Amino acid sequence: MTIDETNEDDFGRDAVQEQQLMYRDVLDKLAKLPEDQRAVLLLVAVEDLSYADAAKVLDIPIGAVMSRLSRAREKLQQEIEGTADDASRNVVKLRSLK
């Protein structure tokens, strides 16, 4: 088969390098999470455990699973968006009254 007989799709490939970079970036951001938050996030999101099962595995109350998961998701989202270092975002500014 000559090059003139081939289809353009025969030469096209998915952007494997880009996917690998994104994968590494997410793993790096995941590694920045505190261990307790990372463990809950991995058990629930990756291992697909229920909150109750994750609580049993980690030997913590289900409320702690829910709290840690919420904080982990929020922190990971901030890392992905690049707003994790913006502490002023969550600070309420107060005026002083004289």
Side-chain angles (χ1 to χ4, degrees):
M1 180 184 313
T2 68
I3 197 162
D4 293 331
E5 296 172 342
T6 60
N7 186 338
E8 193 175 294
D9 294 334
D10 294 336
F11 296 107
R13 294 194 182 239
D14 292 336
V16 175
Q17 294 88 355
E18 184 178 343
Q19 290 172 348
Q20 289 175 346
L21 288 173
M22 288 173 31
Y23 177 71
R24 271 191 247 148
D25 189 42
V26 169
L27 288 179
D28 289 343
K29 289 172 181 4
L30 188 60
K32 291 181 180 180
L33 293 175
E35 176 61 33
D36 60 339
Q37 293 178 15
R38 184 172 54 248
V40 170
L41 184 63
L42 291 174
L43 287 174
V44 173
V46 177
E47 298 294 330
D48 202 27
L49 266 60
S50 68
Y51 293 177
D53 289 340
K56 287 178 190 173
V57 168
L58 298 171
D59 195 27
I60 59 174
I62 194 168
V65 168
M66 295 166 65
S67 176
R68 291 176 188 181
L69 183 60
S70 175
R71 283 183 272 140
R73 286 176 173 161
E74 182 178 342
K75 178 71 174 169
L76 190 59
Q77 184 67 35
Q78 289 173 351
E79 287 286 342
I80 290 169
E81 292 174 352
T83 60
D85 295 330
D86 188 9
S88 64
R89 186 178 138 162
N90 294 325
V91 175
V92 176
K93 297 183 181 183
L94 300 175
R95 276 188 311 151
S96 66
L97 299 174
K98 294 183 181 182

